[in-house]
Amino acid sequence: KGFGEFQFPRGVAFTDNGQLLVCDHGNGRVQMFDINNNFKFLRCLEAPEPLAPLDVVLNRDGEILVADQTNRIHVFDTDGIYSRTFGKKGTKDGMFNYPMAISVDDMNMLFVCDQGNRRMQILSASDGSFKHKWGGWKRSAEGAEGEEDGGEEGASPAPSPEPADPDAGDEWVGLHRPAGVTVNSQGVILVSDWKRHYIFRY
C-alpha cells in the first residue's frame, strides 16, 4: 500500500507534462508519477469522497477525468487538484451503472462504457452534459427488433453479419457489456464487449 505500490491497478494515462496516472483501484486512489524522473512518485489525487477509480483520461483542456465505481466522473485540474464531479447512479441520460472505461476524442467528447446499463454514452468532456447514447437490445419473439435495453432511444445497429451468441440464445443484438473504448483521429469508435466476446466498430 506504499506509494509506488498497487493493488488491482486499472486504467492508466499520460499527461502532456510527462506524468503517468494510475488507477490504483484496490487501494482506492489515483497515483501520479514523473516519467521523466525515473517514475518518481508525485502525489495521489484526492476528492471529497473516497475514490474507487476504474479508468482515467485527459480532456482537451488538459483536465484529468477519473471514472469511479461510485458511478461518478471526477474532474481534476492539470496539477491533479480536485475541481468537480458529474454523474450519479441511474439509467437516465448522464447517469451511470459501473462506468468501466472512458475515452476522449479530438472534439472533446467523452465516451463512457456504461457497462451495467449495457450502453455507451457520449458526454461533453468539459461539463459532462449529455450528447448521445446507444446500446443493445433483445429481439422480439417474431424476430423483429425489440426495445433497446436501458434506454428509450439512440440504439445503433450492430455490425452485420453478426455471429450467434450462445450466452444470449441468439436473442441479443449489439452491445451487452461494454468494457473498453477507444476513438481514433478519423472518428472511428472501437468498443470491446466482455460478455459477447466481440469488438464493435462504429
Side-chain angles (χ1 to χ4, degrees), residues 104-118:
V104 172
D105 69 3
D106 290 342
M107 301 299 292
N108 210 30
M109 293 293 105
L110 174 66
F111 293 75
V112 181
C113 289
D114 189 9
Q115 189 175 98
N117 287 324
R118 299 183 176 90

Side-chain angles (χ1 to χ4, degrees), residues 53-125:
L54 297 170
D55 201 7
V56 58
V57 72
L58 272 68
N59 66 17
R60 295 310 166 198
D61 299 319
E63 294 178 311
I64 302 165
L65 279 62
V66 177
D68 197 89
Q69 189 172 323
T70 59
N71 302 300
R72 296 175 174 88
I73 306 292
H74 300 295
V75 184
F76 302 81
D77 66 17
T78 55
D79 294 320
I81 306 303
Y82 174 80
S83 174
R84 59 194 182 278
T85 294
F86 58 85
K88 62 180 180 178
K89 186 173 183 178
T91 60
K92 294 181 179 179
D93 297 344
M95 297 182 180
F96 312 112
N97 185 0
Y98 204 76
M100 177 69 178
I102 53 179
S103 184
V104 172
D105 69 3
D106 290 342
M107 301 299 292
N108 210 30
M109 293 293 105
L110 174 66
F111 293 75
V112 181
C113 289
D114 189 9
Q115 189 175 98
N117 287 324
R118 299 183 176 90
R119 66 185 180 184
M120 293 295 303
Q121 292 197 68
I122 303 177
L123 314 173
S124 165

